[in-house]
Amino acid sequence: MVLNRNPDNFFNENEQLAFCPALVVPGITYSDDKLLQTRIFSYADTQRHRLGPNYLQLPVNAPKCAHHNNHHDGFMNFMHRDEEVNYFPSRFDPVRHSAPTPSNQAQISGKRERAVISKENNFQQPGVRFRSFDQARQERFIGRMADILLDKRCTQEIRRIWVGYWSQCDPQLGQRLAAKLQQNGAL
């Protein structure tokens, strides 16, 4: 996907988009992130409810390369099929399984439950991400955050809160952002 233009037809190209983290190319596997694991199921379920069972056949969601599947008939099906065989495996259809790809063999054990997290850690991951940036990218990030916080609709109190949030992610990030805001007389 290349985002280099505005949609010509907003409904066809935007409203019918159906992102789903369950659809990955062979060789890509999922992490054990709890949020991702729930979205693998729920996104596809939501798209089926929102757009219909054949939402992957909509031009905006369909593969851009040659593909073959056994989707046949059903609500909103607009794929022309004149083959006799619509099942797999079949001795009348030369289609075979793709070559196997390596998969994650990590063993997971324990109990999953829905519970309140006793001590949330909302700032470690953004801090690690910021520290992974090279110096130039860190400067661009701080510049963009400063531009957002310099908006005339942004109050002094909101600026202090956000500098506090970014300081919890990375103390140096908070100091550099505060310095940038002070240069512009906004803090």
Side-chain angles (χ1 to χ4, degrees):
M1 175 186 300
V2 179
L3 302 176
N4 59 1
R5 64 176 178 82
N6 288 327
D8 295 325
N9 183 324
F10 188 81
F11 181 77
N12 285 349
E13 298 178 42
N14 195 319
E15 291 297 316
Q16 292 184 352
L17 272 173
F19 294 109
C20 179
L23 304 174
V24 295
V25 296
I28 302 291
T29 58
Y30 308 106
S31 71
D32 295 333
D33 180 66
K34 294 179 284 189
L35 190 58
L36 174 62
Q37 291 294 325
T38 56
R39 287 181 175 176
I40 289 169
F41 163 75
S42 66
Y43 273 41
D45 196 49
T46 300
Q47 306 308 356
R48 277 189 289 277
H49 175 76
R50 186 171 72 89
L51 297 170
N54 289 314
Y55 70 95
L56 292 174
Q57 293 181 10
L58 292 168
V60 72
N61 299 321
K64 305 302 179 230
C65 59
H67 67 285
H68 180 83
N69 60 35
N70 291 313
H71 294 185
H72 195 65
D73 296 331
F75 179 66
M76 282 183 57
N77 183 19
F78 47 90
M79 209 171 142
H80 177 70
R81 302 266 320 233
D82 54 4
E83 299 109 3
E84 295 264 339
V85 179
N86 64 350
Y87 52 89
F88 179 83
S90 168
R91 70 182 67 169
F92 303 110
D93 190 352
V95 173
R96 298 292 171 248
H97 284 294
S98 60
T101 56
S103 62
N104 187 357
Q105 301 297 323
Q107 295 292 320
I108 300 174
S109 63
K111 178 173 80 173
R112 289 193 181 190
E113 62 184 67
R114 187 177 188 152
V116 176
I117 299 170
S118 58
K119 183 178 180 188
E120 292 184 6
N121 185 352
N122 297 319
F123 301 101
Q124 180 183 6
Q125 187 175 5
V128 169
R129 179 76 172 148
F130 175 76
R131 288 185 292 277
S132 74
F133 295 162
D134 60 49
Q135 191 67 26
R137 189 168 179 187
Q138 286 183 3
E139 285 302 320
R140 286 194 307 273
F141 179 80
I142 290 168
R144 288 185 186 124
M145 286 283 87
D147 288 345
I148 292 167
L149 294 173
L150 288 170
D151 188 282
K152 63 184 176 196
R153 296 169 291 183
C154 191
T155 65
Q156 194 84 354
E157 178 186 14
I158 291 172
R159 289 185 190 112
R160 279 196 293 275
I161 290 169
W162 275 99
V163 168
Y165 286 158
W166 288 118
S167 296
Q168 291 179 64
C169 297
D170 183 271
Q172 187 184 42
L173 168 58
Q175 291 169 358
R176 290 165 66 187
L177 182 58
K180 191 87 155 176
L181 293 172
Q182 286 170 346
Q183 283 177 350
N184 292 285
L187 195 63

